[in-house]
Amino acid sequence: MAEDAILGFLESNVNISDSGQFAADVGIDHNEIINVIKSLHGFRLVDAQDIKREKWVLTDEGKSYTVAGSPEVQLFLAIPLEGISREELQKKVDSSVYKIGCAQAIKNKWVEMGKQLVSRKIQNVEDRVKDLLLRIRDGEVIDQEDIDALKRRKLIALQTWKGYSLQRGPNYAPKRKKAVTDLTRDHLQRGDWKDLEFKEYNFSAKGPPAEGGYLHPLLKVRKQVQNIFLQMGFEEMPTNNFVESSFWNFDALFQPQQHPARDSHDTFFLKVPSTTRELPEDYVERVKRVHEYGGYGSRGYGYDWKREEANKNLLRTHTTAVSSRMLYLLAQQKPFTPKKYFSIDRVFRNEAVDRTHLAEFHQIEGLVCDRGLTLGDLIGVLHDFFSRLGMSKLRFKPAYNPYTEPSMEIFSYHEGFKKWVEIGNSGMFRPEMLLPMGLPDDVRVIAWGLSLERPTMILYGIDNIRDLFGHKVDLNLIKRNPIFLRNKFQIRSAEMLCLFRGLSISLPT
Ligand code: FB9
């Protein structure tokens, strides 16, 4: 409709000087005309040039004064010749009129604001403001000085009107042939392809964004933690076995068979295959003995250790099971060589699911195995590790694990939450665990662990672990979230990220 009006008009007229006037003449909404002009211009059926016009229009306050008069005049007229008390006057006019009216009337030296009385200083006044507003409304041009005064009083505002003037373009035609984008079988069969308008190829058109794969936030942070360990000279342990024997998951760690964590309330035991196939018999014998009678300076637990209990297969409850396997293998290699190992993989616990706990999570574990290591070395490596994750203010609280003595829970002060957050656990593996493996007497192993989910949730501002895992994950969250901390530039962006999320982490300088 608008297109025919424009193309039709240009068939017999050289140009349309003002699209606004034209819209009014043909009775079509100017915005519709504008959109059609843009499209016709795009296909060069017309050549259009912007025209811009600015005019002063009244604000709502300005409009109200063209009806009720300016506040200073309203106030002046409310003052009887004999004067009136402020209280009385305030009752006669409403508060905004009183406030603005007083200011203007005093400025115009129309009234006297005495202590008691408000009185007129002149007989009568002209409502020049109202007249000016009416003239502006009717499109009259008034002095710049008055414009500035009215603008300062926010009674008028500049309105910019945009339109086009246009004339026939190189591809002008009274009727636009529908540009087709594809030559189809029907066109060929109908033979009407000859007088079809084919749409130009727009070689600079951006194709649909190449949707590459996106790493799940958890894997982005996993990658980051893995890099930190590699930069610290650690080797990754093979964790590709979710199914483990109770022996490596518990017994090798000197965790007694009646320990509460070893019952099915906490641990997923396997029905099939229910028992492990083979264990290093000589080592098993030494583990049995240290549980039952101790040795190596320990008095052991003094209970009747059962092989069938150790044979039970389960879903590993911690990657420390992998550490026990690797330390046992290391102990078989003579001469002893120091090692730094890490693991990041799934562990399974038959726990109640809540906002931050699922029946499985990813455990991050690091260990250093060397002669003469001390608790100080552990605290040192923890500071080094966590400072690379942006956590440098640490505190340690004595804790208990069946396989480490001493043990410490690790806390970091979180600027964003303004509180100390528990960020992991750690300790020195017990001699009852290490010596039966065959490690030299003076070899010590310091180790620590934390989850991957907690840092990922905090860094990505995810409140409920269900938003991190499973079918309810918001794919956009994954798409739009940048990778985390790799170099100075990304630290900057991470800073933005954290700030943006109201988190503040102290990043390594
Ligand atoms: O991850 C945990 N907290 C955490 C870690 C990082 C973090 O980063 C933020 C960006 C700033 C925030 C929080 N925790 C360990 C502490 C708690 O969340 C805790 O309530 C839950 N823990 C899990 C176990 O839950 C039963 C987290 C998991 C955990 C706990 C201990 C170990 C591993 C994982 C361990 C160990 C260990 C000890 C000694 C020797 C070897 C391994």
Side-chain angles (χ1 to χ4, degrees):
M1 142 96 153
E3 178 165 312
D4 301 342
I6 292 169
L7 292 175
F9 182 85
L10 288 175
E11 191 162 14
S12 48
N13 298 276
V14 183
N15 71 355
I16 293 174
S17 59
D18 177 330
S19 58
Q21 191 51 51
F22 179 77
D25 301 351
V26 294
I28 299 173
D29 169 59
H30 186 232
N31 291 330
E32 194 194 335
I33 292 282
I34 292 277
N35 295 338
V36 171
I37 289 173
K38 284 180 181 160
S39 157
L40 291 173
H41 180 78
F43 284 88
R44 309 306 320 279
L45 277 89
V46 303
D47 272 343
Q49 301 74 32
D50 296 16
I51 48 177
K52 199 161 72 157
R53 262 201 298 278
E54 290 172 332
K55 69 175 184 171
W56 291 102
V57 292
L58 305 190
T59 61
D60 296 349
E61 185 187 354
K63 285 195 191 109
S64 70
Y65 294 162
T66 58
V67 181
S70 64
E72 53 269 40
V73 170
Q74 291 181 50
L75 182 100
F76 183 85
L77 297 175
I79 303 169
L81 297 177
E82 67 282 7
I84 182 172
S85 74
R86 288 170 190 255
E87 295 63 36
E88 276 306 304
L89 185 53
Q90 276 174 329
K91 287 204 206 81
K92 284 181 77 178
V93 297
D94 80 17
S95 63
S96 70
V97 169
Y98 179 82
K99 206 154 77 36
I100 299 169
C102 281
Q104 291 300 326
I106 293 164
K107 200 165 118 224
N108 301 350
K109 300 185 180 41
W110 291 357
V111 299
E112 179 67 44
M113 302 296 278
K115 289 240 177 312
Q116 300 320 324
L117 278 188
V118 179
S119 55
R120 295 183 179 192
K121 286 172 83 171
I122 56 176
Q123 289 315 313
N124 46 40
V125 296
E126 279 294 304
D127 196 338
R128 195 162 171 283
V129 169
K130 177 179 172 185
D131 300 346
L132 287 170
L133 291 170
L134 290 169
R135 285 168 55 196
I136 288 170
R137 186 196 60 193
D138 306 341
E140 264 184 62
V141 179
I142 66 172
D143 301 3
Q144 190 54 37
E145 199 191 317
D146 291 327
I147 288 284
D148 299 342
L150 293 173
K151 196 171 89 178
R152 255 194 313 284
R153 289 182 63 173
K154 295 193 173 40
L155 302 183
I156 61 175
L158 194 59
Q159 184 187 63
T160 309
W161 176 87
K162 279 218 190 85
Y164 289 93
S165 67
L166 57 149
Q167 55 283 329
R168 284 196 289 278
N171 306 346
Y172 171 80
K175 193 133 196 48
R176 175 173 17 194
K177 267 201 246 122
K178 186 109 193 57
V180 294
T181 51
D182 292 324
L183 177 61
T184 62
R185 194 165 59 75
D186 309 350
H187 292 137
L188 295 172
Q189 278 175 338
R190 280 199 305 266
D192 61 2
W193 58 270
K194 284 195 237 18
D195 31 306
L196 276 181
E197 181 80 30
F198 282 93
K199 205 167 182 182
E200 298 283 321
Y201 275 105
N202 170 0
F203 293 108
S204 55
K206 291 216 177 348
E211 289 276 332
Y214 294 84
L215 270 185
H216 184 287
L218 212 60
L219 297 180
K220 288 176 188 168
V221 177
R222 185 191 192 290
K223 189 88 194 120
Q224 184 46 43
V225 176
Q226 184 184 38
N227 287 333
I228 286 173
F229 274 116
L230 296 172
Q231 284 151 15
M232 292 172 70
F234 283 68
E235 290 171 53
E236 184 153 14
M237 293 185 267
T239 55
N240 54 340
N241 65 310
F242 293 166
V243 175
E244 183 57 279
S245 64
S246 293
F247 179 78
W248 291 112
N249 196 83
F250 290 125
D251 297 280
L253 298 175
F254 194 56
Q255 191 151 349
Q257 294 188 336
Q258 67 284 12
H259 187 285
R262 294 186 69 157
D263 69 25
S264 58
H265 294 99
D266 280 3
T267 298
F268 296 107
F269 287 93
L270 262 68
K271 237 199 279 350
V272 180
S274 61
T275 57
T276 192
R277 272 200 301 274
E278 56 155 339
L279 292 170
E281 293 311 323
D282 59 334
Y283 171 45
V284 172
E285 197 41 47
R286 292 196 297 275
V287 169
K288 169 182 173 64
R289 227 187 352 272
V290 77
H291 277 247
E292 292 185 336
Y293 316 110
Y296 318 102
S298 168
R299 70 169 194 273
Y301 292 118
Y303 70 94
D304 167 21
W305 185 86
K306 294 191 181 35
R307 176 58 183 268
E308 48 285 358
E309 187 57 37
N311 285 345
K312 287 181 179 168
N313 278 335
L314 44 77
L315 292 183
R316 64 174 177 223
T317 62
H318 47 198
T319 55
T320 318
V322 179
S323 305
S324 60
R325 280 173 175 276
M326 294 303 284
L327 288 168
Y328 173 74
L329 287 177
L330 181 63
Q332 312 322 302
Q333 287 152 27
K334 305 293 179 208
F336 166 74
T337 48
K339 277 288 181 188
K340 299 199 279 189
Y341 282 135
F342 77 94
S343 60
I344 310 173
D345 210 331
R346 289 176 192 229
V347 297
F348 308 85
R349 297 189 183 179
N350 186 359
E351 273 169 356
V353 172
D354 65 17
R355 186 181 65 76
T356 58
H357 282 81
L358 288 174
E360 65 177 81
F361 68 90
H362 288 74
Q363 176 170 346
I364 300 169
E365 177 148 321
L367 69 88
V368 182
C369 176
D370 198 351
R371 300 182 187 280
L373 291 176
T374 68
L375 193 64
D377 294 310
L378 175 55
I379 292 173
V381 78
L382 290 175
H383 273 291
D384 185 357
F385 175 78
F386 283 107
S387 65
R388 293 165 188 252
L389 259 178
M391 293 173 261
S392 37
K393 257 197 291 205
L394 301 184
R395 275 199 320 198
F396 303 98
K397 183 175 152 217
Y400 172 80
N401 299 309
Y403 38 87
T404 52
E405 187 55 44
S407 310
M408 308 185 296
E409 275 171 0
I410 311 156
F411 289 80
S412 163
Y413 185 74
H414 202 286
E415 308 300 344
F417 303 159
K418 293 271 172 282
K419 66 181 175 126
W420 286 90
V421 175
E422 183 193 349
I423 58 172
N425 193 305
S426 65
M428 301 188 71
F429 283 136
R430 299 183 72 101
E432 293 94 332
M433 168 184 167
L434 303 177
L435 297 174
M437 291 174 170
L439 286 166
D441 297 3
D442 62 344
V443 166
R444 302 272 177 283
V445 180
I446 55 178
W448 73 96
L450 63 154
S451 78
L452 185 61
E453 282 72 7
R454 291 298 295 129
T456 306
M457 287 171 72
I458 290 178
L459 285 159
Y460 284 89
I462 296 166
D463 182 55
N464 189 313
I465 197 157
R466 287 187 193 70
D467 304 337
L468 193 57
F469 258 133
H471 63 289
K472 280 200 286 192
V473 161
D474 155 9
L475 277 182
N476 291 322
L477 170 108
I478 292 177
K479 285 185 183 161
R480 78 167 179 277
N481 269 299
I483 55 174
F484 182 69
L485 293 186
R486 204 191 302 277
N487 55 37
K488 285 241 158 312
F489 157 71
Q490 269 143 355
I491 284 181
R492 281 286 135 268
S493 64
E495 200 159 41
M496 257 64 73
L497 174 77
C498 297
L499 290 176
F500 157 66
R501 288 200 194 292
L503 299 179
S504 60
I505 52 174
S506 53
L507 291 165
T509 47

